């Protein structure tokens, strides 16, 4: 008899109650951030030419074009740009544009959930305004066709639960034919050596409110942090092997300027690279400047000076095999 079955039989025979199984975490890792450019070619050029990413083509449904920065750990950044004045936008896109006013930046991010239906039910049970689950169309040109599981499924929230907009998403198994597997592997290789998505930096006027929002979502274990490079303080909250940083300004600096100029936002994303020195040199050449390295939450790091171009910062760090929240001491 298997150990679990034996334990169950023993408990039943003795009249003992079995311990309840822990509910699955609502999210198991970061998935992707939505990054709007002033137009799709502008944001693509910055990512490719100045920063050394491979930018993959997407689609242009309804006048909103997208492209992708796909990473080896399955995380990614989705680039968006409006291509015509009468673009068709869903409510999330409309909310982003109402904040950005046609400018560049990120106001929405997604977490991956391998138990999407359970996560949605848990949100509703907690009184959170989870939407129905939306799915990719059966004739999605990037899917596997009618009769197959939809390429993606997601739900969002009718009202904000964090300072930036959030959705939870899951995917069907990818195409497994040799050509598709080879294409996917190639898509995740970048000249700058980027390999993994490790953190989203959420900026608001009240980091404690975002911390409380994450706790309502079932994402707990916040650790106080300071990020001196942008003049911010707040919390590091682990999401599987990754993290969400809930930050607020800590005196004058980049964070205060960004909040004053753009309101709550995804201030930055952190990416792990195979060779930090090589990535730093590439970005320095792209921006024709010298950049300072520092010891960040993920170890040796540097910030690319992308706020003017992208409305968002990109932190590159050496891959260490541990998450940004691991080993952090509490603040005094």
């Amino acid at each position: 008899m298997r150990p679990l079955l034996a334990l169950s039989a023993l408990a039943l025979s003795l009249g003992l109650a079995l311990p309840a199984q822990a509910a699955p975490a609502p999210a198991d890792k970061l998935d992707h951030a939505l990054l709007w450019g002033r137009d799709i070619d502008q944001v693509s050029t910055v990512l490719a030419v100045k920063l050394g990413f491979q930018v993959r083509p997407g689609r242009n449904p309804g006048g909103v074009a997208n492209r992708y920065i796909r990473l080896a750990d399955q995380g990614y950044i989705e680039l968006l740009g409006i291509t015509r004045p009468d673009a068709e936008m869903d409510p999330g896109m409309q909310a982003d544009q109402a904040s950005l006013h046609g400018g560049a930046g990120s106001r929405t991010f997604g977490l991956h959930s391998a138990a999407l239906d359970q996560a949605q039910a848990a949100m509703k049970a907690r009184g959170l305004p989870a939407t129905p689950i939306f799915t990719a169309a059966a004739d999605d040109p990037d899917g596997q066709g009618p009769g197959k599981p939809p390429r993606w499924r997601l739900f969002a929230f009718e009202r904000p639960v964090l300072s930036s907009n959030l959705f939870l998403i899951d995917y069907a198994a990818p195409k497994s034919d040799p050509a598709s597997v080879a294409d996917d592997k190639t898509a995740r290789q970048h000249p700058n050596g980027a390999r993994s998505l490790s953190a989203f930096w959420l900026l608001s006027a009240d980091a404690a409110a975002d911390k409380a929002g994450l706790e309502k979502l079932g994402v707990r274990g916040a650790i106080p942090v300071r990020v001196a490079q942008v003049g911010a303080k707040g919390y590091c909250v682990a999401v599987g092997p990754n993290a969400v940083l809930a930050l607020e300004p800590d005196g004058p600096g980049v964070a205060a300027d960004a909040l004053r100029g753009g309101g709550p936002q995804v201030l930055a994303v952190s990416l792990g690279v195979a060779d930090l020195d090589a990535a730093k040199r590439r970005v320095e050449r792209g921006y024709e400047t010298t950049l300072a390295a520092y010891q960040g939450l993920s170890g040796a790091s540097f910030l690319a000076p992308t706020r003017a171009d992208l409305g968002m910062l990109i932190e590159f760090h050496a891959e260490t095999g541990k998450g940004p929240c691991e080993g952090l001491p509490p603040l005094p």
Side-chain angles (χ1 to χ4, degrees), residues 223-248:
I223 299 172
V225 293
R226 282 195 173 94
V227 185
Q229 291 70 33
V230 297
K233 65 181 179 181
Y235 303 92
C236 184
V237 186
V239 183
N242 316 132
V244 172
L245 305 185
L247 302 174
E248 64 184 45

Side-chain angles (χ1 to χ4, degrees), residues 76-113:
Y76 62 101
I77 302 172
E78 182 173 359
L79 314 181
L80 297 168
I82 297 171
T83 61
R84 69 185 199 213
D86 61 342
E88 301 170 11
M89 293 187 282
D90 62 34
M93 293 177 177
Q94 292 172 1
D96 282 358
Q97 283 300 306
S99 171
L100 290 166
H101 305 291
S106 179
R107 300 294 185 272
T108 298
F109 69 100
L111 303 179
H112 180 266
S113 175

Side-chain angles (χ1 to χ4, degrees), residues 58 114 178 217 240:
L217 292 165

Side-chain angles (χ1 to χ4, degrees), residues 156-253:
F157 296 89
E158 300 285 356
R159 300 183 304 278
V161 295
L162 300 173
S163 60
S164 290
N165 298 318
L166 168 69
F167 59 92
L168 276 74
I169 190 167
D170 192 20
Y171 303 90
K175 296 178 181 178
S176 58
D177 61 281
S180 295
V181 171
D183 286 347
D184 182 69
K185 181 179 179 181
T186 300
R188 301 177 189 279
Q189 298 171 355
H190 298 279
N192 63 15
R195 293 183 49 80
S196 58
L197 173 62
S198 54
F200 294 143
W201 304 20
L202 307 189
L203 176 66
S204 74
D206 189 348
D210 270 341
K211 169 181 171 288
L214 288 165
E215 289 172 346
K216 289 180 182 177
L217 292 165
V219 181
R220 300 182 176 89
I223 299 172
V225 293
R226 282 195 173 94
V227 185
Q229 291 70 33
V230 297
K233 65 181 179 181
Y235 303 92
C236 184
V237 186
V239 183
N242 316 132
V244 172
L245 305 185
L247 302 174
E248 64 184 45
D250 185 25

Side-chain angles (χ1 to χ4, degrees), residues 9 17 43 68 80 115-116 127-128 144 157 172 196 247 256 280 292 307 311 318:
V43 67
Y68 299 95
L80 297 168
L116 196 71
L128 295 171
Q144 300 195 46
F157 296 89
S196 58
L247 302 174
K280 182 169 176 288
R307 267 198 69 222

